[in-house]
Amino acid sequence: MNRKWMGSFLIILLLTFGIWMFFNSPFSTSQQALPAEVKTDGTSILDIGNQKAGDRPVKTFSLTAQEKEWQINEDKQVEAWTYNGTVPGEPLRVTEGDFVNVHLKNELSVPVTIHWHGMILPNQMDGVPGLTQDAVQPGESFTYEFIANDAGTYWYHSHQHSSKQVDKGLYGSLIIEEKDPAYQQEQTYMLDEWAVDQEKQSFTNMGGMMMGSMSGDGEADTKQMYDTLTVNGKSGKAIEPLQMETGETARLRFVNAGYQQHRLVFPEGSIEVIAADGEEVVTDEPSANMLEIAPGERIDVAFTRQGEEAEVIGEDPTTEYDRGMKIPVVSEEKADSFSYDQLSVSSASSQETGTSNGSEELLFKQTPESDVTYHMDLSMGMDMGEGMSFQINNKVFPDTPLIPVSEGDVVKVRITNSGRLNHPMHLHGHRFQVASKDGQAYENPIVKDLIHVKPGEEYTVYFKADNKGEWLFHCHDNNHADRGMVTIVDYQGVYSPFKLDGEHNNQP
């Protein structure tokens, strides 16, 4: 056998084995405490930022985590974990300024929590087991309380072993309405992907994932892991049509609750992007007709129905296949008579992303001087005995270097992706201003809490350390976070009394 060929064969064999290990060996956090740099003296996070209702309106909800056989369409069903028996969980709608009270009861056989994705709230309400609370054990309850200060599109999900629990359906929408809504008609769409006709971690898929990764496809792993796309927990003909008359405009809120980026194509000239990650944006030109939404990201559009015939919003047809993600747009009169099979998704003429437009309100009017600078290098590696790892600065959580800050600091984070897969990086408890991409400053910066960093890309973001606590900064492809791509914004003078794993099995 030719030596060169033999060497290549061995490399491919080792890579395949490593990827198989990645999907088939649990990433254990057993008996691990937070890094030594996290302070154990000062003020406990339980004594910081407590909020009371006062004379505010109080909105109260009850969410029960429970197992449910969930029907995705007439042919497919999954064993799901749910909040209140549905996927997504019960939609929570409040008005800006309300005091929100959510009582979580756990009827599952495993611990759970609720994280309020994108919300600026007290650290102790953030829902991260081992950092801001102990996981809620089977049969037990926990109450979350916070003020809904900022109107926008948010969502909630479990942060306990989230790579599995969110994947199984433990998520829902949280909409904070303006006191004077700009749009009378609106809909919320939560996008997700499921392994229905295949085993999620099937070894037979690993070769394709490996080759895709080697060729630079940043979505290689998720494309191989899932076979069915859903909108609000439904796929194909089971997706509820959007009922609108020609010329009507509605606010459509899109939330990517999965781990795969989605490219939605709209009828030409039908949308204007109006918000990203809960922040209103400024648009100087007509929006494109394809919208790329990263895992964990939220993008709102003003959608105007164009024609008399049935229209469709759907996954980009140039991807491998849509796997069932099509939203019909029909009049009320024809809601029961249109042909789903004849709905054809348009070709994309141009694309927008979560950073295509600047924000109306900025954190910094000009690029600030930083008090703290942190370089976050995202990479892939091999963890002996554990398979593939996803690293920050060549380390995996909980050994990743922290971001030490003091209250009032301006923090500059330069994020580079030196790996081969996409990494949507999400910061808890803060918003950051995206200043530049690949060294080129944005003319119109945007304020977000999640930035989608693709292979070879570099972003520089700034945020103000103005919410004391211990906050996660992690990849929102939760499979990557589970394999180590997590760090902590560590405020000096405060500490968390909670520990990873332990008797509560805390696994963020």
Side-chain angles (χ1 to χ4, degrees):
M1 184 179 291
N2 182 282
R3 285 188 178 181
K4 184 176 181 181
W5 187 91
M6 184 64 176
S8 299
F9 174 80
L10 287 173
I11 290 172
I12 292 174
L13 184 63
L14 287 170
L15 283 170
T16 303
F17 177 75
I19 293 167
W20 179 82
M21 288 292 292
F22 162 38
F23 289 109
N24 288 276
S25 296
F27 181 71
S28 173
T29 58
S30 179
Q31 304 305 315
Q32 292 174 330
L34 293 176
E37 291 85 354
V38 176
K39 304 298 184 292
T40 56
D41 56 4
T43 304
S44 167
I45 64 167
L46 299 180
D47 298 324
I48 296 172
N50 297 308
Q51 295 177 334
K52 302 295 183 182
D55 57 359
R56 298 173 181 271
V58 178
K59 299 292 176 64
T60 301
F61 304 92
S62 293
L63 295 176
T64 300
Q66 56 193 191
E67 190 168 0
K68 178 71 177 281
E69 189 175 272
W70 181 251
Q71 200 76 27
I72 287 180
N73 58 33
E74 61 182 9
D75 301 318
K76 299 179 179 181
Q77 59 189 27
V78 294
E79 292 298 327
W81 292 351
T82 72
Y83 292 114
N84 290 2
T86 63
V87 179
E90 179 184 342
L92 308 183
R93 297 190 72 92
V94 301
T95 302
E96 186 176 17
D98 286 348
F99 188 79
V100 183
N101 179 296
V102 182
H103 184 71
L104 168 64
K105 182 179 180 181
N106 184 11
E107 293 183 355
L108 290 170
S109 61
V110 297
V112 299
T113 68
I114 298 178
H115 166 61
W116 308 95
H117 184 110
M119 288 292 298
I120 308 298
L121 39 57
N123 194 213
Q124 61 183 278
M125 293 290 119
D126 198 41
V128 180
L131 190 65
T132 69
Q133 70 172 97
D134 285 322
V136 182
Q137 303 300 300
E140 296 187 359
S141 300
F142 187 89
T143 298
Y144 297 90
E145 295 181 327
F146 53 87
I147 297 171
N149 275 324
D150 301 299
T153 302
Y154 305 91
W155 62 298
Y156 64 91
H157 62 80
S158 179
H159 224 294
Q160 164 74 8
H161 198 184
S162 53
S163 62
K164 179 177 183 179
Q165 294 195 3
V166 179
D167 221 27
K168 287 181 71 69
L170 278 174
Y171 60 80
S173 62
L174 169 62
I175 306 303
I176 303 178
E177 298 176 331
E178 300 168 327
K179 292 181 178 179
D180 298 307
Y183 299 87
Q184 297 305 309
Q185 185 175 357
E186 68 167 69
Q187 294 288 337
T188 301
Y189 294 105
M190 301 198 76
L191 314 178
D192 197 5
E193 57 275 343
W194 296 76
V196 179
D197 299 321
Q198 67 185 41
E199 290 292 329
K200 174 187 170 185
Q201 300 176 0
S202 171
F203 176 72
T204 61
N205 291 328
M206 293 305 99
M209 180 237 170
M210 178 187 68
M211 296 308 294
S213 175
M214 292 174 67
S215 67
D217 186 344
E219 291 292 309
D221 53 344
T222 51
K223 282 183 179 179
Q224 294 296 322
M225 292 172 69
Y226 304 101
D227 55 52
T228 303
L229 305 185
T230 60
V231 178
N232 291 342
K234 299 294 182 179
S235 179
K237 296 179 182 180
I239 296 174
E240 284 287 326
L242 171 60
Q243 295 185 26
M244 295 178 64
E245 303 305 318
T246 302
E248 284 188 340
T249 300
R251 180 178 195 140
L252 307 185
R253 304 174 185 265
F254 292 95
V255 179
N256 188 344
Y259 307 154
Q260 176 178 332
Q261 70 179 13
H262 291 291
R263 293 189 174 103
L264 294 184
V265 181
F266 300 77
E268 194 73 45
S270 64
I271 64 168
E272 177 187 350
V273 175
I274 56 177
D277 288 355
E279 293 287 326
E280 295 184 0
V281 303
V282 178
T283 52
D284 296 328
E285 299 178 358
S287 296
N289 76 321
M290 182 165 74
L291 197 61
E292 181 180 279
I293 309 175
E297 194 170 41
R298 298 94 65 208
I299 299 181
D300 298 10
V301 303
F303 173 80
T304 302
R305 185 177 173 192
Q306 301 297 291
E308 298 286 343
E309 299 301 319
E311 298 176 341
V312 63
I313 302 166
E315 189 81 3
D316 179 10
T318 65
T319 56
E320 293 177 1
Y321 46 98
D322 64 35
R323 310 187 207 195
M325 186 174 280
K326 289 196 294 189
I327 305 169
V329 183
V330 298
S331 63
E332 182 179 359
E333 179 183 350
K334 297 182 178 180
D336 298 320
S337 61
F338 71 96
S339 173
Y340 179 88
D341 293 330
Q342 293 181 4
L343 293 177
S344 180
V345 179
S346 303
S347 297
S349 59
S350 54
Q351 174 180 303
E352 293 222 25
T353 69
T355 57
S356 294
N357 303 284
S359 293
E360 280 194 0
E361 295 186 15
L362 297 177
L363 302 178
F364 308 99
K365 292 184 178 180
Q366 56 188 14
T367 302
E369 293 292 328
S370 58
D371 301 299
V372 175
T373 300
Y374 184 95
H375 178 209
M376 181 183 289
D377 178 56
L378 312 175
S379 63
M380 301 162 62
M382 297 298 294
D383 190 359
M384 293 301 293
E386 298 290 348
M388 185 176 290
S389 65
F390 292 92
Q391 306 166 334
I392 294 177
N393 296 348
N394 298 315
K395 299 288 186 179
V396 296
F397 185 78
D399 297 322
T400 46
L402 307 180
I403 306 177
V405 303
S406 296
E407 188 174 19
D409 281 348
V410 173
V411 186
K412 174 183 178 181
V413 182
R414 181 166 61 93
I415 309 172
T416 58
N417 185 347
S418 56
R420 293 183 176 273
L421 298 175
N422 294 338
H423 298 303
M425 300 304 296
H426 171 54
L427 173 60
H428 288 213
H430 303 75
R431 295 186 176 91
F432 52 70
Q433 186 161 309
V434 186
S436 67
K437 177 183 179 181
D438 299 334
Q440 297 295 314
Y442 280 103
E443 184 176 344
N444 298 307
I446 187 166
V447 176
K448 298 178 94 298
D449 55 63
L450 183 146
I451 187 72
H452 196 205
V453 190
K454 297 181 179 181
E457 290 184 342
E458 175 182 298
Y459 287 91
T460 299
V461 306
Y462 292 84
F463 68 91
K464 185 76 172 289
D466 55 5
N467 193 9
K468 292 173 70 173
E470 302 290 341
W471 301 97
L472 286 193
F473 201 155
H474 69 98
C475 181
H476 220 281
D477 180 329
N478 288 328
N479 291 318
H480 300 174
D482 186 53
R483 290 279 155 175
M485 195 167 278
V486 179
T487 190
I488 295 172
V489 176
D490 172 34
Y491 276 74
Q492 306 305 293
V494 304
Y495 73 94
S496 168
F498 305 105
K499 302 294 183 183
L500 297 181
D501 202 17
E503 63 177 314
H504 295 92
N505 192 27
N506 292 324
Q507 298 182 30

